[in-house]
Amino acid sequence: MDSNNIWFKVIVGVILVGYMAFIFYQSLKGGIAYKKQFENFKNSHKHYETVVDGAYWVWVMVAMAVLAFILMLMAPKLAKDGQTYYYYLAYGCIGLVFLGLSIDSYTHRRIYLTEEGFFFDDTYYRYRMIANYEFKNGIVTRNCTVLMSNRDKIVVTKKIGELLQTKQKEFKKAKKERRK
């Protein structure tokens, strides 16, 4: 099949843009849910501590998205022999993916701690719901899976996982002190 065939271009474009738009939509939907639930959390918890691990990742992802969109605009100068369409398509899709990743980085690299629990992603969890921690210390993967008693699993950064462990111990200690 000839790559300059108009139907081939349309099919490839629809598939790629559709899939990338779906990925971006999922990230955007998660970001909107996060914002809405965070407002509810702020209204019901006046005193909370914000912990952000790796806020620079949000800015790195936004910068990469901007770079991809700039390269998309430069496609006529970069492309050879009628391949401009594919350059537009590729850089536009890459830009959408990086925008989605920036939203995901924002929501998954911050946690809000209270005396009795924490708000992560779009849910408030109590320390007493935590069943176990599974730390992964690989070369690439350095995170913590927090297993909840209701069978939920949340994946946080290693630093946040260690902080949750500490806060849970403090919560249990304070609970023992209140019982005396």
Side-chain angles (χ1 to χ4, degrees), residues 6 20 53 64-65 86 91-92 105 107 131 158 162 175 180:
I6 188 71
M20 297 305 156
D53 183 24
M64 294 300 287
Y86 294 112
Y91 288 125
S105 291
T107 60
K158 183 180 177 188
E162 290 169 348
K175 189 175 175 182
K180 288 183 180 181

Side-chain angles (χ1 to χ4, degrees), residues 47-64:
H47 304 286
Y48 60 87
E49 176 187 352
T50 304
V51 177
V52 180
D53 183 24
Y56 59 89
W57 279 111
V58 175
W59 297 111
V60 168
M61 296 301 155
V62 169
M64 294 300 287

Side-chain angles (χ1 to χ4, degrees), residues 111-147:
I111 191 166
Y112 303 92
L113 305 168
T114 66
E115 289 182 13
E116 303 220 348
F118 61 96
F119 180 82
F120 177 75
D121 200 12
D122 62 354
T123 308
Y124 182 74
Y125 300 96
R126 299 199 180 277
Y127 294 125
R128 61 188 165 107
M129 292 176 60
I130 299 174
N132 200 7
Y133 300 89
E134 292 177 356
F135 287 94
K136 293 181 179 75
N137 291 320
I139 295 171
V140 175
T141 308
R142 299 187 68 147
N143 60 19
C144 174
T145 302
V146 182
L147 307 170

Side-chain angles (χ1 to χ4, degrees), residues 14-81:
V14 167
I15 291 171
L16 279 177
V17 171
Y19 182 66
M20 297 305 156
F22 174 74
I23 290 173
F24 177 73
Y25 171 75
Q26 293 290 42
S27 296
L28 188 62
K29 189 170 89 171
I32 291 170
Y34 166 84
K35 185 174 177 169
K36 181 181 176 184
Q37 293 302 324
F38 180 64
E39 288 300 320
N40 293 338
F41 169 77
K42 281 195 325 188
N43 292 335
S44 61
H45 298 87
K46 298 298 178 198
H47 304 286
Y48 60 87
E49 176 187 352
T50 304
V51 177
V52 180
D53 183 24
Y56 59 89
W57 279 111
V58 175
W59 297 111
V60 168
M61 296 301 155
V62 169
M64 294 300 287
V66 168
L67 178 63
F69 289 129
I70 288 171
L71 288 172
M72 185 179 87
L73 296 175
M74 293 175 52
K77 294 177 184 166
L78 299 172
K80 298 177 188 172
D81 301 327

Side-chain angles (χ1 to χ4, degrees), residues 115-116 128 170-180:
E115 289 182 13
E116 303 220 348
R128 61 188 165 107
E170 290 173 5
F171 171 74
K172 287 181 178 180
K173 185 178 178 182
K175 189 175 175 182
K176 277 185 183 180
E177 294 295 322
R178 285 190 299 248
R179 287 185 181 170
K180 288 183 180 181

